[in-house]
Amino acid sequence: MASDKRVDEIIDRYKGEEGFLIQLLLDIQNEFNWIPKEAILRISTRLQIPLSHIYRVVSFYKVLNLKPIGRHVIQVCLGTACHVRGGPRILDAVENTLGIKAGMTTGDMKFTVKRVNCIGCCALGPVMVIDNDYHCKLTPAGIKDILARYD
Ligand code: FES
C-alpha cells in the first residue's frame, strides 16, 4: 500500500511545473514498483487533475503499471519483423517456462511478462528485453537458460 507521506513527497517535487505528470507517475512507480490507486487519488486531489485524465495517461504509456509487477520485466517483441522470425514461439516458450500468460506476473513476483511491438532492433529478431538486457536472435530452446540467469 502506498504511504501518503511518500506520495506527497514525490508530488511536492513537481509542484508548479508544467508537463510534469508523466515524470511524477514514473517516480511513483519507481518508489512502489507500480502505481497504486491510492497514489492516483492523492495526485488527483492534491493537484486537482481529473482522475479520468490521470488514468488516460497511465493507460497510454505501457511503461506505467496499474498492477504490481515482478522484480524482472520481460518484454517479448511481436512486431512484424520479430513475428516472422518466430516471436510467437518465443512468447510461448516464456509463457510455458513460467506458467503464466503475457500480461501476468508469477506468483513469487519474480517475473512480469509483456508483449510489445518493436523495440528498435528488428534485424536481430526475435528479440526480448529483460529489464535493460537485450536478448537477440532467440530460439525457444534457449529461453529456459536465459530466464535461469535472473534471481
Ligand atoms: S519487430 Fe522486434 S525489434 Fe522490431
Side-chain angles (χ1 to χ4, degrees):
M1 173 141 338
S3 95
D4 281 352
K5 186 169 175 279
R6 280 303 294 137
V7 173
D8 281 346
E9 284 168 14
I10 294 169
I11 289 171
D12 288 342
R13 287 181 205 158
Y14 295 96
K15 260 173 121 178
E17 287 183 34
E18 284 184 24
F20 62 88
L21 184 56
I22 295 165
Q23 191 56 52
L24 169 54
L25 291 166
L26 282 169
D27 285 2
I28 296 280
Q29 181 162 283
N30 285 340
E31 176 71 22
F32 301 104
N33 205 25
W34 64 300
I35 302 177
K37 188 173 149 199
E38 299 89 349
I40 291 179
L41 291 171
R42 193 84 182 156
I43 293 169
S44 176
T45 304
R46 284 211 46 213
L47 300 178
Q48 301 190 339
I49 300 173
L51 275 176
S52 59
H53 178 68
I54 300 173
Y55 275 107
R56 235 187 342 266
V57 170
V58 174
S59 308
F60 183 79
Y61 291 98
K62 287 201 158 89
V63 71
L64 300 172
N65 296 291
L66 283 171
K67 290 189 289 191
I69 57 170
R71 294 194 301 284
H72 304 291
V73 176
I74 303 170
Q75 300 179 74
V76 180
C77 183
L78 292 182
T80 305
C82 286
H83 195 279
V84 299
R85 290 187 163 107
R89 285 185 295 120
I90 299 303
L91 181 60
D92 284 347
V94 170
E95 290 177 339
N96 291 336
T97 302
L98 298 177
I100 57 171
K101 293 288 182 192
M104 297 172 71
T105 297
T106 54
D108 59 4
M109 300 303 289
K110 185 170 176 184
F111 290 110
T112 295
V113 179
K114 295 182 173 188
R115 30 191 322 163
V116 294
N117 289 317
C118 196
I119 43 184
C121 47
C122 309
L124 301 173
V127 177
M128 72 176 173
V129 181
I130 303 180
D131 304 331
N132 294 315
D133 307 331
Y134 282 70
H135 300 275
C136 307
K137 298 193 173 179
L138 294 167
T139 62
I143 295 302
K144 215 178 216 164
D145 284 346
I146 293 172
L147 297 181
R149 291 180 212 158
Y150 293 84
D151 51 44

